[in-house]
Amino acid sequence: MSFANTTTAWRAIGLMLFALASATSARADVSAESFDMAAGGTLDLDTDIGALKISTHAANRVDVEVERDGPDADDLLVEINATDERIKIEGRWEGGKKRWWNGKEARVVFRITVPERFNVDLNTRGGSIEIDDLTGEVDASTSGGSLRFGRINGEIDANTSGGSIRIDGGSANIDVSTSGGSIKIGEATGDVRARTSGGSIRVRNARGRVEARTSGGSVEAEMLVQPSGDSTLATSGGSVRLYVAEGIGLDIDATSSSGVRSEIPVGGETKGKRRLRGALNGGGPKVRLETSGGGVKIYQLNQ
């Protein structure tokens, strides 16, 4: 067989394999149900496996779609119970057997649409969690996957054992943690508590207290209004940057092995070899800035 014919044959085989893969994917099992439920209710979802995608609509209805694919996908048993105020969804491996979600044995996706004002309590032992803009309390946990939230008008309590966290904004307190990944918070009206064992932290438009700690990465925060209490930005391996809007008064306590610099005088000084302490703009709540492996810098934020 000539080279040209051999190439043509391999292309044909490739197209056949692609078509087979597409047909297999198209045969994924999808089940869907809808439940009448007024705004202000609660979604309680607890599953052994699966990515969770939560969206909202203006209707007084909860739509549940579960997509399952892979040789072991049918072993996940899904049970749904609904009352006037709460819908509870459970996903359990048949016989209690545990399988890690690696995409080879099973792929499960829960797509759920709830009223715009709704509370969600989500837990998956293997998969990412995504939530669109929502008015309500959010409690979310995953043993392995990223967290992606839109603007949440309510309390946020979320954690992942391995993945990044991104929140577009929150109108109340935010408490998030990850064992390995970055954290980005777009706007924080309430207090923020953010912790990661390996990644950077960025908090924009902070309007309350901020506690941001990482063991390996940079920490950055913006303070647009006078904070209501003390804050801490700390890392064991990275830089710390604080952006302060004009006129905000703080008591700064900054320490760094690589030096501290400030565009705004702190106790009359703008730099320190290892430490800079004192009042900024007349003083106010205490802000600790700490790093063992990078520099600290304070910037004037021009709004």
Side-chain angles (χ1 to χ4, degrees), residues 212-219 233-241 254-260 273-274 288-296:
R213 299 178 183 273
T214 176
S215 298
S218 62
V219 179
L233 311 180
T235 175
S236 298
S239 62
V240 175
R241 296 184 294 273
T255 58
S256 167
S257 59
S258 300
V260 181
K273 188 174 181 179
R274 292 182 179 271
R288 291 184 174 89
L289 309 173
E290 305 171 358
T291 175
S292 301
V296 172

Side-chain angles (χ1 to χ4, degrees), residues 156-175:
I156 301 174
D157 189 344
N159 66 84
T160 172
S161 297
S164 61
I165 300 173
R166 187 183 71 196
I167 301 171
D168 289 345
S171 67
N173 296 337
I174 298 174
D175 190 338

Side-chain angles (χ1 to χ4, degrees), residues 82-123:
T83 65
D84 291 341
E85 298 180 349
R86 179 180 293 269
I87 180 167
K88 185 173 183 179
I89 304 173
E90 288 187 299
R92 296 287 178 262
W93 286 115
E94 184 179 15
K97 60 183 176 179
K98 304 291 184 181
R99 294 181 185 272
W100 181 246
W101 184 50
N102 57 17
K104 295 182 179 179
E105 296 175 329
R107 185 184 71 87
V108 180
V109 181
F110 291 82
R111 295 184 179 89
I112 302 174
T113 307
V114 301
E116 294 169 342
R117 184 170 61 86
F118 221 71
N119 305 308
V120 295
D121 188 344
L122 312 173
N123 181 41

